[in-house]
């Protein structure tokens, strides 16, 4: 079935397997599903749409029970007593968002029951039922009980009010502020459907590099219109709060969080928002980071700032997500250490409705970073993880990179903070330290491009983020399979082949950009392409040379006890392991160690040869990907097949560019030839250094 990607994983393509089709048709012969709330209404609409697409038939949704029912979709309080009694135990732990899909034998025949404690649960259950059918799963003995393991499953849009998107590579911002609130773009509704289908329940509409204007009455009306669209889908709206807003739009002379007038201003502002949006989620704040104003401008702390805002929204049940992405220009030690040093001493001092939002790694969404040492180190403070779906450092929307593989690696990393098994996932889902609020944020990769994310395969990163936010223990491979089946095809040959391609794509990008623990080697500003030579930016820690520290003796950042001692921010087991190059996992080698060019790697190669071979491996992996994709032609519609083919060709060119530029640059220090098997660079180092991209997107 042809697609331009707009339908995402909600294509509802006709079921091709005739036996399965007949079974499904029988199962949908007599459906009980009574509407009556806005959430149930959207669930019903979705069900009709899905069934029409997949089964080629319209269904009638009966508002009253009958003995003939083959499918019953109803919240627990509306089930008949026999059925609800049989589900009592499951229903008890289901919470507000969980659902059950179960085939139950009643009156001598099987009925599929979709139930939940709430209408929200029914909506999620309906989406799941449709997804299972898109995966062509057999429903006859289905028994699924699901509820989210994380409370806040939230997208962060770095969208500006002029509709540009910071680090956005898929067009402009979806939010048409000019036409809001009067004009409701169909895309808002389809955005909400897509999110609800994977359990995303929150969206921060505006950039963390914030504009106070969004807090003025005219914009609050526009935000209200979006909140009204999203509400039936269970999606709450949040805004970024510019810390200096009381000055910029409030006419005050200060934004000092301890000043009574400032406190009063934020309280009044919150009341004003909640009057229009009673379920407003709260604020996300980037403060005292990369030039953003914050409490430190007034000699106050993150605690003072976050708690002041928390007090403003708490009467309404709102929360504050306070970001830990901070690194000071005056700190001469190691950028990787700063967030931990600034935040961990405050453990236990934040209000109950504050959650600290921490990037997955200690630097900045690099192709690979070790997990952020703050995870597990603040037992008394809720911490949420922030992943980046938009591929700022991973090839924009041009490279096929399946990010759930990266997310899984971080989530399954062991912090050892409460002994072995203290994974990041357990920190995030709150189980390690019994956290009151839990959350996972994804910096959105969504824009006005027809297919939403620029690259047809980047849709999988949005999808996979939602799935992992629902359950951080999911296997990224299973997620890839679900997505492939719903988005492209159920043909086994296709699914099995492409699932492996997606899994491998993450390591490929690490190899051709930043192998063996290298990081932050991109060009300045736009971050497009390699720039390992950059050494002239105003702040030391903005320069790639700060991170790779290549010199005639070797390469890498010494973060051992005798270096910056970043290793000591990890639990003792890990600190010990990371302190010694022999016990450091090789994928993090140059993250933690500065090593001589002839240092011997586990495979016997010298470090120089090993680096060069990794770059080549990355390029080769893209080559293989192209060949494999070529064989997928019979399974994919022509439009998407060609789009992906063209993008892969660009990816290959850019992978070679990364390899050649980085190796030529490092070769000046290693003074050694490229090992056998590594292609000779097509251009000179000066050529690569001369490239300029004034109009690269996302800046
Ligand atoms: O890495 C940097 C990005 C900025 C971004 C910042 C952040 C929104 O280059 O564009 O600003 O991270 O996460 O705050």
């Amino acid at each position: 079935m042809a697609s331009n990607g707009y339908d995402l994983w909600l294509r509802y393509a006709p079921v091709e397997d005739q036996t399965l089709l007949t079974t499904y048709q029988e199962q949908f012969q007599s459906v009980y599903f009574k509407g009556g709330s806005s959430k149930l209404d959207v669930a019903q609409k979705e069900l009709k749409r899905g069934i029409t697409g997949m089964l080629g038939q319209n269904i009638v949704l009966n508002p009253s029970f009958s003995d003939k029912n083959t499918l019953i979709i109803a919240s627990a309080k509306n089930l008949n007593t026999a059925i609800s009694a049989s589900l009592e135990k499951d229903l008890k732990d289901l919470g507000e968002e969980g659902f059950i899909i179960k085939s139950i034998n009643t009156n001598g025949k099987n009925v599929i029951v979709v139930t939940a404690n709430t209408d929200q649960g029914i909506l999620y259950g309906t989406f799941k039922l449709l997804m299972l059918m898109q995966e062509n799963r057999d429903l006859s003995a289905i028994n699924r009980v699901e509820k989210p393991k994380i409370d806040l499953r939230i997208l962060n849009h770095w969208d500006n009010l002029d509709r540009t998107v910071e680090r956005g590579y898929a067009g402009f911002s979806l939010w048409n502020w000019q036409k809001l609130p009067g004009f409701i773009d169909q895309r808002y509704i389809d955005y909400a459907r897509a999110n609800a289908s994977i359990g995303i329940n929150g969206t921060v509409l505006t950039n963390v590099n914030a504009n106070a204007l969004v807090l003025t009455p005219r914009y609050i009306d526009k935000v209200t219109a979006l909140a009204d669209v999203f509400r039936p889908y269970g999606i709450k709206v949040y805004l970024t709060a510019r810390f200096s807003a009381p000055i910029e739009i409030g006419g005050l002379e200060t934004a000092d969080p301890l000043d009574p007038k400032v406190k009063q201003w934020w309280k009044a502002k919150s009341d004003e928002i909640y009057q229009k949006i009673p379920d407003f989620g709260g604020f996300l704040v980037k403060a005292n980071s990369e030039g953003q104003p914050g409490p430190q401008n007034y000699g106050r702390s993150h605690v003072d700032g976050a708690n002041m805002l928390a007090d403003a929204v708490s009467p309404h049940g709102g929360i504050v997500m306070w970001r830990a992405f901070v690194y000071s220009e005056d700190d001469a030690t190691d950028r990787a250490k700063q967030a931990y040093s600034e935040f961990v001493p405050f453990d236990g001092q934040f209000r109950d409705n504050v959650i600290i939002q921490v990037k997955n790694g200690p630097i900045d969404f690099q192709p690979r970073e070790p997990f952020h040492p703050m995870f597990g180190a603040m037992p008394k403070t809720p911490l949420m993880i922030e992943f980046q779906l938009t591929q700022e450092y991973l090839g924009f929307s041009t490279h096929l990179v399946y990010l759930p593989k990266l997310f899984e690696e971080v989530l399954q990393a062991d912090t050892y903070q409460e002994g072995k098994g203290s994974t990041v996932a357990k920190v995030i889902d709150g189980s390690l330290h019994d956290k009151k609020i839990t959350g996972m944020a994804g910096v959105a990769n969504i824009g006005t491009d027809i297919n939403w994310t620029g690259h047809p395969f980047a849709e999988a990163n949005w999808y996979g983020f939602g799935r992992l936010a629902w359950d951080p223990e999911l296997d990224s491979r299973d997620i890839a399979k679900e997505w492939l089946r719903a988005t492209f095809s159920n043909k086994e040959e296709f699914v099995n082949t492409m699932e492996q391609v997606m899994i491998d794509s993450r390591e490929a990008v690490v190899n051709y950009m930043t192998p063996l623990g290298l990081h932050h080697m991109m060009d300045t500003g736009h971050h497009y392409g390699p720039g390992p030579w950059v050494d002239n930016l105003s702040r030391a820690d903005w320069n790639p040379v700060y991170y790779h520290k290549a010199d005639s003796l070797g390469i890498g950042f010494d973060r051992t006890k005798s270096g910056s001692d970043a290793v000591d921010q990890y639990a003792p087991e890990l600190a010990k392991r990371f302190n010694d190059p022999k016990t450091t996992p090789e994928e993090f080698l140059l993250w933690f160690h500065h090593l001589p060019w002839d240092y011997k790697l586990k495979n016997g190669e010298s470090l120089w040869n090993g680096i060069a071979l990794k770059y080549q491996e990355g390029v080769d992996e893209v080559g293989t990907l192209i060949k494999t994709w070529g064989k997928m032609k019979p399974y994919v519609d022509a439009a998407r097949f060609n789009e992906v083919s063209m993008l892969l060709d660009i990816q290959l060119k850019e992978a070679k560019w990364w390899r050649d530029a980085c190796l030529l640059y490092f070769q000046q220090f290693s003074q050694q030839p490229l090992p056998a098997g590594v292609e000779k660079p097509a251009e000179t180092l000066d050529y690569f250094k001369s490239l300029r991209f004034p109009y690269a997107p996302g800046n």
Side-chain angles (χ1 to χ4, degrees):
M1 194 170 100
S3 170
N4 57 15
Y6 183 84
D7 295 342
L8 297 159
W9 49 88
L10 302 175
R11 272 187 332 139
Y12 304 131
V15 174
E16 287 174 8
D17 179 329
Q18 288 307 309
T19 325
L20 187 64
L21 178 63
T22 314
T23 313
Y24 281 162
Q25 282 167 340
E26 281 162 9
Q27 284 160 337
F28 276 84
Q29 227 161 49
S30 167
V31 183
Y32 168 82
F33 191 169
K34 193 162 140 216
S37 75
S38 59
K39 286 184 178 171
L40 294 177
D41 291 350
V42 299
Q44 289 194 332
K45 246 191 177 159
E46 197 67 30
L47 190 72
K48 286 187 171 165
R49 180 185 188 133
I51 297 310
T52 313
M54 289 189 281
L55 309 189
Q57 70 184 40
N58 290 325
I59 42 162
V60 181
L61 303 179
N62 303 309
S64 45
F65 283 107
S66 119
D67 287 348
K68 298 209 185 69
N69 288 154
T70 49
L71 174 66
I72 293 171
I73 304 183
S75 62
K77 58 180 186 300
N78 294 326
L79 290 173
N80 77 33
T81 42
I83 296 182
S84 63
S86 77
L87 297 173
E88 203 184 325
K89 240 182 72 206
D90 290 333
L91 282 163
K92 243 175 89 190
D93 320 313
L94 214 52
E96 296 283 298
E97 294 181 301
F99 59 81
I100 299 171
I101 307 179
K102 196 166 184 169
S103 169
I104 292 181
N105 194 288
T106 159
N107 295 332
K109 67 177 182 53
N110 278 343
V111 186
I112 298 172
V113 177
V114 178
T115 189
N117 292 319
T118 62
D119 292 352
Q120 185 61 43
I122 294 291
L123 177 62
Y124 285 150
T126 305
F127 270 118
K128 177 53 80 179
L129 180 72
L130 291 170
M131 191 66 190
L132 294 171
M133 293 171 72
Q134 291 205 85
E135 294 172 57
N136 287 356
R137 303 242 200 166
D138 177 10
L139 303 176
S140 37
I142 181 119
N143 183 5
R144 271 201 181 229
V145 181
E146 280 200 33
K147 66 171 176 183
K149 293 201 176 120
I150 290 179
D151 306 327
L152 308 167
R153 308 177 297 277
I154 191 165
L155 287 177
N156 287 186
H157 287 268
W158 288 356
D159 291 19
N160 299 314
L161 299 183
D162 65 3
R163 296 193 78 178
T164 57
V165 180
E166 183 158 346
R167 312 309 177 184
Y169 313 104
F172 286 92
S173 167
L174 294 182
W175 324 132
N176 191 331
W177 297 109
Q178 176 65 26
K179 288 188 182 164
L180 280 165
F183 185 82
I184 300 301
D185 193 323
Q186 177 63 33
R187 285 200 91 137
Y188 305 153
I189 299 161
D190 291 329
Y191 166 86
R193 288 176 50 234
N195 280 324
S197 77
I198 48 177
I200 287 174
N201 65 357
T203 178
V204 184
L205 299 174
T206 47
N207 192 350
V208 288
N209 290 329
N211 186 333
L213 214 59
V214 78
L215 302 175
T216 57
R218 219 157 53 84
Y219 277 90
I220 293 173
D221 283 345
K222 296 168 191 281
V223 173
T224 304
L226 288 173
D228 291 343
V229 173
F230 299 157
R231 188 168 298 111
Y233 296 89
I235 297 165
K236 281 190 187 180
V237 160
Y238 300 74
L239 291 173
T240 45
R242 184 157 164 90
F243 207 77
S244 50
I247 304 173
E248 288 159 20
I249 58 166
L252 300 188
E253 264 158 25
T254 176
D256 179 348
L258 299 192
D259 185 301
K261 281 204 215 79
V262 172
K263 290 189 193 179
Q264 182 46 40
W265 188 87
W266 281 109
K267 261 197 182 309
K269 186 48 74 183
S270 303
D271 294 347
E272 182 189 341
I273 297 172
Y274 277 97
Q275 220 204 340
K276 299 238 157 100
I277 312 172
D279 56 354
F280 178 67
F283 295 121
L284 168 65
V285 189
K286 171 177 178 178
N288 294 117
S289 163
E290 299 186 327
Q292 293 298 304
Q296 292 171 354
N297 298 34
Y298 307 94
R300 314 296 185 193
S301 69
H302 289 297
V303 175
D304 298 327
N307 287 353
M308 181 274 292
L309 284 173
D311 290 342
V313 293
S314 79
H316 308 282
I319 60 154
V320 169
M321 296 169 283
W322 192 268
R323 288 176 96 228
F325 178 67
V326 295
Y327 60 105
S328 152
E329 39 209 302
D330 314 314
D331 190 316
T333 56
D334 176 0
R335 173 170 160 190
K337 288 175 63 180
Q338 293 187 37
Y340 180 105
S341 316
E342 262 191 64
F343 276 87
V344 171
F346 291 136
D347 189 25
Q349 296 184 38
F350 292 95
R351 295 279 192 268
D352 285 350
N353 59 331
V354 173
I355 183 163
I356 306 300
Q357 181 166 313
V358 186
K359 286 188 182 182
N360 61 268
I363 297 287
D364 194 1
F365 299 138
Q366 293 299 296
R368 172 169 277 131
E369 297 189 29
F371 72 85
H372 202 300
M374 280 174 71
F375 293 121
M378 294 182 76
K380 290 183 250 156
T381 308
L383 293 190
M384 62 195 285
I385 196 165
E386 177 177 336
F387 288 120
Q388 193 180 44
L389 316 184
T390 191
Q391 291 169 237
E392 175 179 2
Y393 302 105
L394 292 96
F396 292 6
S397 57
T398 320
H399 294 205
L400 192 165
V401 182
Y402 178 59
L403 296 176
K405 181 77 179 135
L406 183 169
F407 305 158
E408 176 184 51
E409 175 179 301
V410 177
L411 291 167
Q412 292 311 320
D414 198 339
T415 70
Y416 286 89
Q417 291 290 1
E418 298 294 334
K420 202 167 154 41
S422 309
T423 60
V424 173
K426 290 192 178 130
V427 175
I428 294 313
D429 72 16
S431 59
L432 192 68
H433 294 121
D434 190 23
K435 293 292 169 63
K436 297 292 172 266
I437 332 177
T438 57
M440 190 186 286
V443 179
N445 59 348
I446 303 164
T448 50
D449 277 8
I450 290 180
N451 68 8
W452 303 82
T453 57
H455 197 303
F457 275 80
E459 294 177 4
N461 295 336
W462 177 8
Y463 179 84
F465 165 75
R467 298 288 291 126
L468 284 167
W470 181 272
D471 182 356
E473 304 290 349
L474 288 179
D475 184 335
S476 65
R477 193 180 278 276
D478 293 338
I479 298 173
K481 282 193 268 196
E482 294 170 9
W483 179 80
L484 284 165
R485 288 178 185 278
T487 310
F488 282 102
S489 161
N490 268 298
K491 294 265 163 35
E492 295 303 325
E493 157 85 5
F494 173 80
V495 176
N496 295 337
T497 309
M498 288 312 294
E499 159 215 328
Q500 190 59 43
V501 161
M502 289 169 78
I503 293 296
D504 293 344
S505 67
R506 189 303 182 91
E507 203 62 33
V509 74
V510 172
N511 288 338
Y512 66 70
M513 285 187 182
T514 52
L516 296 169
L518 290 169
H519 49 288
H520 204 291
M521 302 211 299
M522 65 288 169
D523 202 357
T524 305
H526 47 62
H527 298 166
Y528 175 56
W533 46 80
V534 175
D535 61 0
N536 60 354
L537 303 178
S538 59
R539 281 180 60 166
D541 56 6
W542 283 347
N543 290 303
V545 297
Y546 169 97
Y547 297 94
H548 61 66
K549 298 198 180 342
D551 55 24
S552 62
L553 300 178
I555 182 170
F557 199 124
D558 182 359
R559 295 194 163 104
T560 64
K561 289 175 197 294
S562 47
S564 80
D565 199 21
V567 292
D568 258 341
Q569 293 185 337
Y570 290 94
E573 290 87 336
L574 290 181
K576 191 166 166 239
R577 198 178 295 169
F578 293 156
N579 197 51
D580 179 351
K582 293 287 171 228
T583 51
T584 301
E586 269 186 353
E587 67 253 33
F588 298 127
L589 196 59
L590 304 176
W591 184 282
F592 288 113
H593 304 278
H594 188 81
L595 297 170
W597 294 107
D598 60 2
Y599 174 85
K600 211 165 173 186
L601 294 172
K602 290 195 177 107
N603 64 5
E605 295 285 355
S606 71
L607 180 58
W608 163 252
N609 281 0
I611 292 174
L613 290 165
K614 276 283 173 204
Y615 273 105
Q616 183 64 44
E617 195 178 318
V619 170
D620 292 344
E621 281 162 326
V622 182
T624 307
L625 210 175
I626 291 176
K627 281 205 200 91
T628 310
W629 182 249
K631 294 189 204 139
M632 297 299 107
K633 200 167 178 175
Y635 307 108
V636 183
D637 53 282
R640 286 189 296 175
F641 180 81
N642 288 332
E643 269 182 48
V644 174
S645 300
M646 289 187 286
L647 288 164
L648 286 173
D649 287 343
I650 304 177
Q651 184 173 359
L652 181 63
K653 265 197 200 131
E654 296 188 355
K656 289 181 176 176
W657 171 27
W658 270 90
R659 176 197 63 195
D660 293 351
C662 293
L663 289 179
L664 283 170
Y665 171 74
F666 292 136
Q667 198 172 30
Q668 303 174 102
F669 304 104
S670 81
Q671 294 286 335
Q672 292 178 45
L674 292 175
V678 179
E679 266 173 84
K680 230 176 105 194
E683 304 283 351
T684 63
L685 180 57
D686 283 338
Y687 166 81
F688 291 119
K689 283 170 129 175
S690 76
L691 298 175
R692 295 287 177 274
F693 305 96
Y695 302 117
N699 210 357

